[in-house]
Amino acid sequence: MILSPFEWTIAKRYMLPGRGEAFIAMVAGISLAAVMLGVAALVIVMSVMNGFRAELLDKIVGLNGHAVIQAYGGRLEDWQDILAKLEKTPGVTRASPLIEQPLLASFNGRVEAILVRGNTSKDINRLSDKLKAGNLAALQPGSDNVAIGSRLAESLGAQVGDTITIINPAGRSTPFGTVPRQVGYKVAAIFEIGVYDYDNAFVVMPIPDAQTLLLTGDSIGMIEVTTTDPDTVMTTLGPLKKQLEGRAQITDWKTINASLFEALAVERVAMFVVLSIIVLVAVFNILSSLIMLVRAKTRDIAILRTMGASRRSLLKIFMAIGFVIGALGTIVGLALGFVFLYFRQPIVHLVELLTGQNLWDPSIRFLTELPSRSDPVEIIVIALMALVLSFLATLYPALKAASTDPVQVLRYE
């Protein structure tokens, strides 16, 4: 829709009403602000939801792999053969043996539930970029050194160099019953993954030390598998799954975290629908402001018609006015949304400081910081939705203006 210089001049004049039309200008300004806030809210919320899902996926999958192979009895005896087959499977980028067992840890009278993880040296070194204190190189088989999560270290009050006691209820049998196995381990490193549940529970040690602690011999608990594409992991491992029938099961990351990611997906759709209503309300504001403008300019419209202005020109003028309001609101809303996302963490801290409330409790939100990841396709969809709705809102007032009969309006002038 291209406006002629005459049409554009009239449109600009009507977008800046005179003194007696301040109320119309105020309604138009409210319409612009409403579109801006609606678009900004959609951009912020959808980006945070995408970031939340992406960060969870990166951290969970990055630590646990795309799938795990676990024996039905809990102990994988012939894991070396399975590991060799995995390494030859096309699409598999990494396969690592793993031991994982919930136990208890104590230090200075404090007792916490933990999750002991026995990893290979290569997998332990993958935590190097998450290291907060200590040295991962000290975690050698037989050294009785461990690395613990930062939140667990805070809960126990332990630091690098302290010795924590890990309690295994499956201890040795005596005439008086089973005596829990208690082994002291030196804290050689403290790491922070960024997922609260992991940082609050994980105790990492070499696989041989975990086998000794759990009295499992040479067996392991499971094998972690990472593939080139996490979404097609079950297809990649399909041939191996048939070979392991009756001995072990393969579980992918979608199944392990199904409830979490399904809840995020439902919440994401619900938030988009609810926040879209804000944009819809803003569009109704544009509609009402244009109707008021048409009524206020009825005499002017009639005069323009008598001077030769066509119905098409009047239609384009009022459509342009409403569309410009919607477009400006959309552009400013996008800018406001991106600014908020860029400074999101300082804004959260400021609100917490002003209200005295903890808005981002890691024990509830899983992640230690407010995440954000903008999807260009979603941003385009949000902008197009706001522009299309703004355009549709101009149709009725523009048609009303174009259908004005100058004879009826100017009859008594």
Side-chain angles (χ1 to χ4, degrees):
M1 182 178 64
I2 301 175
L3 274 68
S4 66
F6 158 71
E7 293 165 349
W8 184 240
T9 301
I10 300 298
K12 287 192 294 183
R13 171 67 184 83
Y14 285 174
M15 278 188 282
L16 300 171
R19 292 182 181 179
E21 300 159 348
F23 183 73
I24 298 175
M26 184 184 72
V27 174
I30 292 173
S31 303
L32 189 149
V35 173
M36 174 191 72
L37 293 175
V39 170
L42 271 171
V43 170
I44 292 167
V45 171
M46 298 310 295
S47 296
V48 169
M49 293 296 294
N50 288 337
F52 198 79
R53 184 185 185 279
E55 286 294 315
L56 277 178
L57 181 60
D58 290 345
K59 292 180 184 297
I60 291 173
V61 171
L63 188 68
N64 294 330
H66 298 155
V68 293
I69 300 174
Q70 191 169 14
Y72 287 113
R75 292 189 180 186
L76 208 56
E77 302 291 348
D78 55 345
W79 59 273
Q80 291 91 344
D81 295 336
I82 299 174
L83 196 63
K85 292 178 181 178
L86 282 169
E87 291 172 348
K88 297 177 182 178
T89 302
V92 175
T93 57
R94 183 178 65 87
S96 301
L98 171 68
I99 294 176
E100 194 169 272
Q101 182 69 35
L103 297 176
L104 293 174
S106 67
F107 178 73
N108 282 346
R110 299 182 183 181
V111 179
E112 295 289 337
I114 62 170
L115 195 63
V116 170
R117 283 177 63 98
N119 286 119
T120 62
S121 298
K122 187 177 180 180
D123 289 333
I124 291 173
N125 289 332
R126 289 171 59 210
L127 294 172
S128 57
D129 58 335
K130 308 290 193 301
L131 194 65
K132 289 195 67 179
N135 183 15
L136 291 173
L139 272 70
Q140 299 296 328
S143 63
D144 289 339
N145 289 332
V146 296
I148 65 175
S150 58
R151 301 282 176 177
L152 178 60
E154 292 176 7
S155 300
L156 291 173
Q159 298 179 352
V160 172
D162 292 334
T163 299
I164 63 173
T165 301
I166 297 181
I167 304 168
N168 180 11
R172 64 182 186 276
S173 298
T174 69
F176 303 99
T178 301
V179 177
R181 181 177 173 81
Q182 301 185 37
V183 182
Y185 290 93
K186 183 180 178 181
V187 177
I190 296 175
F191 58 85
E192 185 171 300
I193 297 170
V195 179
Y196 179 84
D197 288 355
Y198 293 169
D199 294 333
N200 194 47
F202 274 7
V203 174
V204 177
M205 63 178 64
I207 283 183
D209 290 1
Q211 290 172 332
T212 302
L213 172 65
L214 300 173
L215 304 173
T216 59
D218 191 42
S219 66
I220 62 170
M222 62 189 76
I223 296 177
E224 285 181 344
V225 182
T226 303
T227 61
T228 53
D229 186 357
D231 291 322
T232 60
V233 60
M234 294 307 290
T235 304
T236 303
L237 300 178
L240 186 63
K241 184 177 181 180
K242 297 179 180 178
Q243 300 177 29
L244 295 176
E245 286 183 357
R247 296 160 52 200
Q249 62 179 347
I250 301 177
T251 309
D252 66 349
W253 64 272
K254 296 179 183 177
T255 304
I256 296 172
N257 305 285
S259 59
L260 176 60
F261 286 103
E262 285 176 6
L264 284 175
V266 172
E267 186 177 358
R268 184 167 168 268
V269 173
M271 293 300 292
F272 182 85
V273 172
V274 171
L275 291 173
S276 296
I277 296 175
I278 299 177
V279 179
L280 190 60
V281 171
V283 166
F284 278 111
N285 284 337
I286 294 176
L287 176 64
S288 62
S289 65
L290 283 179
I291 291 174
M292 293 172 62
L293 182 62
V294 169
R295 294 200 56 154
K297 299 295 183 181
T298 301
R299 186 174 178 275
D300 292 2
I301 294 169
I303 294 173
L304 287 172
R305 291 282 289 118
T306 59
M307 294 175 64
S310 65
R311 294 181 184 273
R312 180 181 176 84
S313 292
L314 291 172
L315 187 71
K316 289 166 65 177
I317 288 169
F318 284 93
M319 288 176 66
I321 293 170
F323 186 77
V324 167
I325 293 173
L328 286 176
T330 301
I331 294 170
V332 178
L334 290 175
L336 179 63
F338 290 133
V339 169
F340 185 95
L341 290 173
Y342 185 80
F343 295 103
R344 63 188 183 279
Q345 207 58 40
I347 291 173
V348 170
H349 293 326
L350 177 62
V351 175
E352 288 179 340
L353 184 64
L354 294 176
T355 61
Q357 300 294 321
N358 186 1
L359 300 181
W360 194 261
D361 186 353
S363 63
I364 299 174
R365 311 292 184 182
F366 292 100
L367 302 178
T368 54
E369 290 187 354
L370 180 66
S372 171
R373 185 170 295 187
S374 298
D375 184 353
V377 175
E378 279 188 354
I379 300 300
I380 293 172
V381 169
I382 291 169
L384 287 177
M385 180 187 70
L387 293 175
V388 169
L389 289 176
S390 299
F391 175 77
L392 293 177
T394 65
L395 293 179
Y396 175 74
L399 289 171
K400 195 72 175 174
S403 62
T404 299
D405 186 355
V407 175
Q408 294 294 330
V409 175
L410 300 176
R411 173 180 293 178
Y412 302 107
E413 293 292 332

